[in-house]
Amino acid sequence: MTAPRVEVDLDAVEHNARTLVDRLAPLGIHVTGVTKGVGGAPEVAERMLSAGVAMLGESRMENVERLRAGGIAAPVLLVRSPMMSEVQQVVALTEASCNTEVRVVQALAAAATARRRVHGVVLMVELGDLREGILPEDLLAVAAAVLPLRGVQLRGIGANLACQHGVLPDPTNMALLDRLVGSVEEALALRLATVSGGSSVHLEWALSGAETGRVDDLRLGEAILLGVEPARRTPIAGLRTDAFRLVAEVIEAKVKPSAPWGRVGQAAFGPVPVPRDSGDRRRTILAVGQQDTDPSGLVPPPGMMVLGASSDHLLLDAGSTVLEVGDEVAFGLSYGSLVRATASCPTTYLTPTIA
Ligand SMILES: *Cc1c(COP(=O)(O)O)cnc(C)c1O
């Protein structure tokens, strides 16, 4: 089989999605299954939908195109603010998008009107993480500007945390979201269809018995795909953390000294600390590198250690395992490693037979 490749256990993805859908349902919260971690792979989206997610979330239009080309007809929410240059595509291929700029919503409205469509708009409000979001004091004015536009429907309000600065959901910021929803509804005399409270990092908050207020949607990617919560990257009880593996092939396996020799400058990807001498080690080179994935997020098999990587070579201390050229090594992946690996390596779908 070709290497490097990403192997996906679709049953594990479906199990995770179903478990989360079932845990959130009693709270009146549905799930938007976010597929950007796997580049909008239709095979993965299909399993999320079988598991009962209400909608799909994507950040890139090229991934949405892939979903549609793969026969996925479910509603898609674009979770990144549309680029001005892609509004035509956005209204053609998605049902709704997250927005923070009135000019963009105006462009969406014009594009949707021309196509005799109505595009849903979720206004993202800033709760302190300082990535995307309308400042709370500006939210009402933006909502009031969006409301009368033909071609768009103000669908709801959303928020995002823990993506830029790791700011976590807590009773204070989530209560603010609730109050903002209430004040927009009161001032504009309407009832918003949805409050999209956040992402995987909100699971702990939502399932802790906290007051979830008007939140009726979470946009979940990492928790479904990798089975971990993003704040500490710890496994979520009952979820599978083995859905994805990156398999790479050994191209050199030798016992070599552990410390380099000669005058030292920068390495291919910047300065690296010179390792201390721990004697001769089994140094194994795999044909995979920075171009294929984020090597720092790879989890090697027990007893092995990633020493570093350049664009096309990954250096592994194989410990006591004897590897030979042609052997394959399977790694677990962080979310960052997964995003890059699925974008540049072929994917193999494992569909275990059901006994
Ligand atoms: C990526 C993203 C998500 C999904 O985040 P996870 O941590 O993978 O659950 C949700 N909302 C927005 C706006 C995103 O960009």
Side-chain angles (χ1 to χ4, degrees):
M1 249 193 282
T2 154
R5 64 179 181 276
V6 177
E7 291 187 349
V8 188
D9 183 336
L10 290 170
D11 285 355
V13 174
E14 184 170 341
H15 166 81
N16 289 353
R18 177 167 289 119
T19 304
L20 293 169
V21 165
D22 290 349
R23 285 184 191 171
L24 290 168
L27 303 169
I29 297 176
H30 57 66
V31 173
T32 295
V34 177
T35 51
K36 70 188 185 199
V38 290
E43 294 84 351
V44 172
E46 208 165 73
R47 292 301 193 104
M48 289 184 179
L49 291 164
S50 310
V53 306
M55 204 168 28
L56 297 172
E58 245 309 328
S59 53
R60 290 176 183 252
M61 286 309 299
E62 68 203 76
N63 294 347
V64 177
E65 276 173 9
R66 189 172 165 208
L67 287 170
R68 296 306 188 212
I72 303 293
V76 172
L77 170 72
L78 187 67
V79 299
R80 184 172 72 178
S81 292
M83 290 186 266
M84 286 294 271
S85 57
E86 66 185 2
V87 291
Q88 295 292 342
Q89 239 186 333
V90 172
V91 299
L93 294 181
T94 73
E95 279 60 35
S97 55
C98 294
N99 284 274
T100 61
E101 295 283 351
V102 174
R103 272 187 60 196
V104 174
V105 180
Q106 287 167 340
L108 289 166
T113 304
R115 287 171 192 268
R116 300 182 190 288
R117 278 186 164 232
V118 176
H119 183 74
V121 167
V122 175
L123 292 178
M124 298 297 279
V125 64
E126 176 64 65
L127 293 183
D129 192 51
L130 287 178
R131 200 180 69 176
E132 77 275 32
I134 300 158
L135 287 171
E137 57 268 35
D138 298 332
L139 182 63
L140 181 56
V142 174
V146 166
L147 196 58
L149 295 175
R150 276 184 59 218
V152 292
Q153 185 207 6
L154 179 57
R155 198 62 80 73
I157 289 174
N160 195 58
L161 285 170
C163 272
Q164 185 61 33
H165 293 99
V167 174
L168 298 172
D170 61 31
T172 308
N173 52 29
M174 295 312 287
L176 172 62
L177 176 63
D178 225 46
R179 281 204 306 283
L180 288 166
V181 169
S183 59
V184 166
E185 288 185 336
E186 196 182 306
L188 301 180
L190 49 77
R191 174 90 178 168
L192 294 166
T194 188
V195 178
S196 186
S199 61
S200 295
V201 82
H202 285 75
L203 278 169
E204 211 171 76
W205 163 80
L207 297 171
S208 70
E211 182 48 65
T212 52
R214 285 287 304 279
V215 171
D216 71 342
D217 176 66
L218 290 180
R219 308 173 305 275
L220 303 181
E222 185 164 356
I224 294 176
L225 299 173
L226 297 180
V228 300
E229 59 77 39
R232 280 168 275 112
R233 304 246 132 75
T234 48
I236 299 172
L239 298 197
R240 289 184 55 181
T241 56
D242 60 348
F244 293 86
R245 313 196 303 167
L246 178 65
V247 181
E249 186 175 326
V250 176
I251 54 170
E252 180 183 303
K254 295 186 189 306
V255 176
K256 289 193 192 179
S258 46
W261 58 91
R263 244 162 53 83
V264 170
Q266 290 198 0
F269 283 78
V272 287
V274 174
R276 62 179 185 85
D277 190 352
S278 52
D280 285 356
R281 307 285 306 173
R282 273 184 217 286
R283 295 174 74 88
T284 305
I285 301 178
L286 300 171
V288 65
Q290 300 275 358
Q291 183 181 316
D292 310 291
T293 190
D294 174 5
S296 70
L298 293 181
V299 184
M304 301 189 193
M305 193 168 67
V306 174
L307 299 171
S310 51
S311 43
D312 315 294
H313 294 77
L314 183 120
L315 224 83
L316 189 71
D317 184 329
S320 56
T321 308
V322 180
L323 292 169
E324 289 174 21
V325 291
D327 285 351
E328 290 186 335
V329 179
F331 296 86
L333 299 121
S334 71
Y335 193 70
S337 302
L338 179 67
V339 169
R340 267 157 76 175
T342 53
S344 60
C345 304
T347 302
T348 306
Y349 294 101
L350 312 174
T351 326
T353 44
I354 295 153

